[in-house]
């Protein structure tokens, strides 16, 4: 028996709703934790979600960023994002 | 059979002990910012962590190296990395150190409240045994 992969299908698996939902949920948990820890209190930690380039792999990626000046200062002062990462464990 | 979950060892205290030896006579090492700034100092804190298995606590340790110049701050980060790596396999204050892994930095990251000094940071997983050596 010979297994032949259709490489384009991997791209579709990586953008499937199940995969995206797991990753977005992890990012949401990190952002929620960061906003909870933050002294800024303005919801300044926000998430992003997008698929990487098809070449080489097209992996879906989510991110949590400082989206306000207050959040940037808060993260520089308290390392809030680093301390929130544990909330994203799957 | 009674199963007892072992209590994790104090990771921050252990990291402080390792780094105080490394910076002895060079820079104070503390878990808090000093009240009066000195030309070089190190601040250590725990930024979370996990329990990858029953016998290991992986504490995320964050180290801030403050100095007047980036060159000195970078060399302080090198000292940190050396000390943490060299602690692997040793017993520090009755805590067995399994590893220093997943290290990020050193990198420059100015502190918004201490702009007169350079701050370099590094962090890593400080893997400590949850059992007591010799028991």
């Amino acid at each position: 028996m010979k297994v032949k992969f259709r490489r384009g299908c991997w791209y579709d698996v990586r953008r499937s709703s199940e995969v995206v939902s797991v990753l977005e949920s992890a990012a949401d948990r990190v952002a929620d934790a960061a906003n909870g820890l933050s002294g800024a209190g303005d919801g300044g930690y926000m998430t992003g979600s997008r698929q990487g380039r098809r070449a080489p792999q097209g992996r879906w990626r989510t991110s949590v960023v400082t989206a306000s000046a207050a959040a940037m200062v808060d993260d520089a002062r308290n390392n809030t994002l680093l301390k929130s990462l544990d909330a994203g464990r799957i | 059979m009674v199963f007892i979950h072992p209590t994790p060892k104090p990771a921050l205290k252990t990291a402080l002990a390792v780094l105080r030896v490394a910076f002895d006579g060079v820079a104070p090492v503390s878990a808090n910012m000093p009240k009066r700034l000195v030309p070089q100092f190190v601040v250590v804190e725990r930024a979370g962590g996990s329990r990858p298995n029953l016998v290991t606590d992986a504490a995320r340790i964050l180290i801030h190296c403050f100095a007047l110049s980036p060159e000195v701050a970078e060399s302080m980060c090198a000292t940190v990395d050396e000390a943490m790596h060299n602690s692997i396999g040793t017993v520090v204050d009755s805590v067995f150190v399994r590893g220093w892994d997943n290290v990020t930095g050193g990198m420059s990251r100015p502190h918004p409240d201490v702009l007169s000094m350079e701050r370099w940071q590094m962090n890593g997983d400080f893997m400590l045994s949850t059992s007591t050596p010799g028991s």
Side-chain angles (χ1 to χ4, degrees), chain B residues 16-86:
Chain B
L16 284 168
V18 168
L19 294 174
R20 278 179 180 144
V21 171
F23 285 96
D24 187 28
V26 177
V29 178
S30 168
N32 302 107
M33 288 288 284
K35 291 193 171 72
R36 288 181 58 187
L37 299 182
V38 292
Q40 295 177 44
F41 61 92
V42 179
V43 177
V44 184
E45 57 181 321
R46 180 167 181 164
S50 64
R51 190 76 172 267
N53 55 60
L54 196 62
V55 296
T56 306
D57 178 33
R60 196 76 184 154
I61 297 292
L62 172 61
I63 298 133
H64 313 255
C65 297
F66 289 83
L68 295 175
S69 75
E71 292 86 353
V72 173
E74 184 187 28
S75 77
M76 291 168 73
C77 281
T79 302
V80 168
D81 201 41
E82 177 191 14
M84 297 300 269
H85 273 115
N86 285 335

Side-chain angles (χ1 to χ4, degrees), chain B residues 9-10 13-14 17 90-97 129-134:
Chain B
K9 302 299 180 190
K13 183 181 168 194
T14 307
T90 66
V91 176
V92 181
D93 289 347
S94 302
V95 179
F96 181 72
V97 179
S129 169
T130 57
S131 58
T132 303

